[in-house]
Amino acid sequence: MDDELPPEPLDNPRRLLVWPAPDVSTQQALCDRGYRPVTVNSRDEVDAQIAAFPAALFVDPLTGPITRTALQSLRRAAVAAEVPVLVTAGLGQATREAAYGADPAVLLKALAPRDSEQHPSRVLLIEEHEEIAQALTATLERRGMQVARAGADTDAVTLATQMRPNLVVMDLMQVRRRRAGIVDWLRANGQLNRTPLVVYTAAVDQSELPKLASGETVLFLAERSTSSEVQSRIVDLLAKIGTN
C-alpha cells in the first residue's frame, strides 16, 4: 500500500538549494517536478535563501569537485536553518593505490554532526551487500564514527529508533519511494532537518565483491550514475524530503 506519494508539480515552484550548479538533465528533472533550483556556493548564500523556506540543500557533485571545508560549512548553515540536506555520491572499487585520496569516510565525517565533542558521530548504514557494508563500516570506524547497519530500508526504522543516527548513508536503490521508510521516520521524530542523508550509486561488479572482503580492493568515491532510473529516484527522494 502506498502510504506517501511524492507531491504533484507545484504551480509556484519551491526553491531547492543546490551545490554545485546542477547538470542539464538534473536541472530539467527538478524543474519538471516543480522545483526552482538555486545554486549556493557559501554559507552566506544559504543564509540569504532561508526566508524563502527552501525544500532542502541538494549536494550533487556532478559538475565540479566539492571540498570538505565548503561541504562542512554549507551543512552547518543548513542544519542551523532546519533545512534538510541530501548528498549524492558514487562508490567504486579499486586497488588501494588507484583509490588513494578518495576515502569516502572523509566526505562522510565532514557531514556528520555530533551531539557533542565527547560523542562520536552515529552513522546508520543501509546496504544489502555484506562486503560493501563491511568495507564502508571499516573505513568509517577508522575515522572515529560509530556505525550500525541495516540490510534494507524496511529494517532501518527499527535500528534508527534504537540509535538515533547523526547521519544516514544508503544505497539509492534501497530508498522506498512509495512507502514509508527512514525519511518518514526522521521527519516524524523531528530529525530530518538535522540528519544529513547521503545516497550513493555503487558501480561495483558483484563478482568482484570478495576482493573487498579480503582487502585486496577498497571503496572510493566516484561520480554517481546519471541513468534515467537514478535521476528519477533522486527527484522522487527530494520530493519525499521536501514534503511539508
Side-chain angles (χ1 to χ4, degrees), residues 19-240:
W19 179 63
D23 68 298
V24 174
S25 62
T26 304
Q27 171 106 4
Q28 188 59 54
L30 294 172
C31 292
D32 289 345
R33 186 53 65 84
Y35 286 110
R36 175 187 167 193
V38 177
T39 303
V40 290
N41 295 291
S42 68
R43 178 166 191 155
D44 289 343
E45 291 181 16
V46 172
D47 291 341
Q49 294 293 329
I50 298 310
F53 300 105
L57 169 63
F58 177 38
V59 180
D60 188 33
L62 274 180
T63 59
I66 60 174
T67 65
R68 179 179 57 186
T69 302
L71 180 61
Q72 217 165 24
S73 177
L74 288 172
R75 187 267 297 166
R76 285 174 177 159
V79 170
E82 299 189 339
V83 174
V85 177
L86 174 66
V87 180
T88 65
L91 281 183
Q93 180 180 3
T95 63
R96 291 185 183 279
E97 295 75 22
Y100 180 77
D103 182 356
V106 174
L107 168 71
L108 296 176
K109 188 169 186 178
L111 275 168
R114 295 189 288 177
D115 294 338
S116 72
E117 289 299 318
Q118 289 73 41
H119 293 85
S121 299
R122 298 180 301 278
V123 180
L124 172 57
L125 172 63
I126 308 170
E127 169 58 59
E128 64 175 330
H129 294 294
E130 186 73 27
E131 297 89 344
I132 295 176
Q134 287 183 354
L136 265 177
T137 297
T139 187
L140 292 172
E141 289 180 342
R142 278 197 300 271
R143 298 278 176 176
M145 291 176 272
Q146 293 181 349
V147 183
R149 178 237 177 164
D153 195 13
T154 48
D155 307 319
V157 169
T158 301
L159 200 51
T161 303
Q162 299 167 358
M163 68 174 298
R164 298 276 167 165
N166 303 117
L167 177 70
V168 175
V169 181
M170 67 189 299
D171 185 337
L172 179 63
M173 296 304 166
Q174 284 290 340
V175 176
R176 302 182 73 186
R177 295 191 289 178
R178 300 294 190 267
R179 297 182 183 178
I182 188 62
V183 172
D184 309 276
W185 182 90
L186 289 169
R187 177 183 292 107
N189 288 274
Q191 302 296 308
L192 184 60
N193 293 340
R194 62 174 69 102
T195 309
L197 181 68
V198 177
V199 295
Y200 57 83
T201 55
V204 177
D205 189 329
Q206 291 195 30
S207 66
E208 297 288 309
L209 289 178
K211 293 182 179 180
L212 278 177
S214 69
E216 186 178 345
T217 60
V218 296
L219 292 172
F220 72 99
L221 285 179
E223 192 172 278
R224 72 164 172 85
S225 169
T226 54
S227 71
S228 57
E229 166 72 1
V230 167
Q231 294 284 64
S232 174
R233 281 180 171 270
I234 288 173
V235 177
D236 279 354
L237 179 56
L238 281 166
K240 184 185 275 274

